[in-house]
Amino acid sequence: VDSAEIRRALKSLAPTKVAVAYLGSGWQTYIPDISCGLDIIVSPRLGTNADVVQALMRTPRVRVYLLDDLHSKFYLGPSAALLGSCNLSNNALGQGGLREVAILTSRAVDRSVLEREFQRCLRAAKNAYPSRKAMMVRLEKLKQQTIRAREAGLIRGNGRPSIDNSLGNFVG
């Protein structure tokens, strides 16, 4: 499965619930129809674009939640689910993006397992960031971390790690 196949699967899936470690620019290219609403859980750590999250928080019919230790990547639609390695970003899903893999399933048992996991993550996210103000404070901190990481050469403008450095060497 390549990114083009994953993009097609995401569009046909029309997800209403998403849990991804990282959210970046271009998300609306991959989930263009949010007319049925969208609940999204994302990790507010380096790799997530805080400006994109804040813009998404202002989007009608979208509810955003933050969960620091989230590393899952799955998308739930009305009749199917996609589970894989792909975050919701141009880095993961764009032309020439990263190598990703995903499985699209319409099996009720698979969707049920992912729905339970989504609800578990949602409870944890609401507990971790119980208010919009708490979320905004965390996103402002993420913006500052991102600036420092770019200045240190740890990430490039596109959010990808620098070849010469490692995020593991970053002390913030």
Side-chain angles (χ1 to χ4, degrees):
V1 177
D2 64 13
S3 290
E5 290 176 274
I6 295 170
R7 288 191 300 271
R8 284 191 295 277
L10 268 178
K11 284 183 183 178
S12 69
L13 177 65
T16 56
K17 296 177 181 173
V18 174
V20 291
Y22 305 127
L23 176 68
S25 63
W27 73 269
Q28 65 276 23
T29 303
Y30 313 113
I31 305 179
D33 182 9
I34 56 170
S35 59
C36 292
L38 178 65
D39 289 339
I40 182 166
I41 307 169
V42 61
S43 176
R45 297 195 181 230
L46 283 175
T48 288
N49 184 318
D51 291 324
V52 171
V53 175
Q54 288 176 328
L56 194 57
M57 290 171 71
R58 294 186 297 271
T59 304
R61 295 180 304 284
V62 175
R63 291 181 295 219
V64 178
Y65 306 93
L66 303 178
L67 185 58
D68 291 318
D69 61 353
L70 182 67
H71 193 66
S72 301
K73 293 125 182 124
F74 61 91
Y75 305 77
L76 291 164
S79 60
L82 187 132
L83 171 68
S85 64
C86 48
N87 286 299
L88 189 51
S89 68
N90 282 331
N91 282 347
L93 298 170
Q95 297 281 344
L98 302 171
R99 291 186 188 272
E100 302 289 352
V101 66
I103 295 172
L104 180 66
T105 180
S106 58
R107 289 179 11 152
V109 66
D110 297 333
R111 291 178 33 243
S112 177
V113 166
L114 291 173
E115 177 64 37
R116 280 194 307 274
E117 179 59 16
F118 186 87
Q119 293 304 322
R120 191 177 72 80
C121 290
L122 184 60
R123 284 190 300 277
K126 287 179 175 180
N127 189 47
Y129 296 96
S131 68
R132 183 176 180 89
K133 181 179 178 182
M135 291 173 62
M136 295 303 283
V137 167
R138 179 61 183 100
L139 291 170
E140 288 302 321
K141 180 179 176 184
L142 175 58
K143 285 181 184 182
Q144 295 308 309
Q145 291 170 329
T146 302
I147 289 168
R148 288 195 312 274
R150 279 197 177 113
E151 289 171 350
L154 299 175
I155 56 175
R156 298 185 298 229
N158 64 5
R160 290 188 180 165
S162 169
I163 293 171
D164 299 328
N165 294 299
S166 164
L167 290 177
N169 295 330
F170 180 68
V171 178

